[in-house]
Amino acid sequence: MTTTRLLSDLDLLRSREFPAGPEQAGHLDSGPGFHVAALATSEDFWEDDGSRREAVEEQYEAERDGLAALLAARWGEPDRMSLWSLHHRSMEGELLPEPWSVLCAHVPDLTLWRVDTRWIGLGVSQWDKELPFQLLAVVTDVDPP
């Protein structure tokens, strides 16, 4: 991962129109009012004793934080949004709008900016302890619930 590539990928994502219906292409999930893109994906951890997983998690969090520092120079200091309460609400049966519904299932928190009419977020995802980490970028005009 290079910071230049990550910034370029995020800028490209911000410039894309939102589709009328759900779409998936490679590491990009889109739908009405949102894009969620994996900017980077680690290896999996099926054969790991836990030590490599911890190091990769720290690396991905550092990548997120480094990218966030550069974006803070553009847009100001971000908010940090925990998605735990959204996950809890979803588990209790509340229907949440996308992209928030799927994000809260595998991203503990987002670094989040409001830029013009859109929310721009960065998060570190992992669906389960054996699965890869992903550095995610979120672009949406759907307000957090």
Side-chain angles (χ1 to χ4, degrees):
M1 291 181 274
T2 67
T3 304
T4 302
R5 185 187 67 85
L6 294 174
L7 285 172
S8 174
D9 290 351
L10 182 58
D11 287 338
L12 182 62
L13 188 64
R14 289 182 55 232
S15 69
R16 293 178 68 119
E17 293 295 321
F18 298 126
E23 293 181 2
Q24 185 175 22
H27 292 292
L28 175 64
D29 290 317
S30 299
F34 74 92
H35 300 296
V36 178
L39 299 177
T41 301
S42 76
E43 73 277 5
D44 65 42
F45 302 96
W46 292 102
E47 303 297 324
D48 184 38
D49 64 2
S51 59
R52 195 180 70 205
R53 182 188 174 282
E54 186 176 313
V56 172
E57 181 177 21
E58 289 175 6
Q59 174 195 351
Y60 271 66
E61 289 173 350
E63 291 287 344
R64 177 203 56 210
D65 294 345
L67 188 55
L70 294 173
L71 295 174
R74 287 184 183 182
W75 303 320
E77 287 302 310
D79 291 320
R80 187 72 158 220
M81 180 182 177
S82 170
L83 299 182
W84 184 89
S85 64
L86 292 181
H87 180 67
H88 180 73
R89 288 166 47 189
S90 176
M91 296 303 290
E92 293 290 317
E94 183 176 342
L95 295 177
L96 301 173
E98 293 300 348
W100 306 104
S101 177
V102 73
L103 285 172
C104 73
H106 59 102
V107 178
D109 56 62
L110 285 175
T111 303
L112 197 61
W113 293 264
R114 179 73 174 186
V115 181
D116 300 321
T117 62
R118 293 184 172 185
W119 294 95
I120 314 296
L122 298 173
V124 176
S125 165
Q126 189 183 39
W127 282 94
D128 202 358
K129 66 183 181 181
E130 295 88 6
L131 297 177
F133 284 98
Q134 292 185 307
L135 176 59
L136 295 183
V138 179
V139 177
T140 184
D141 62 8
V142 179
D143 290 333

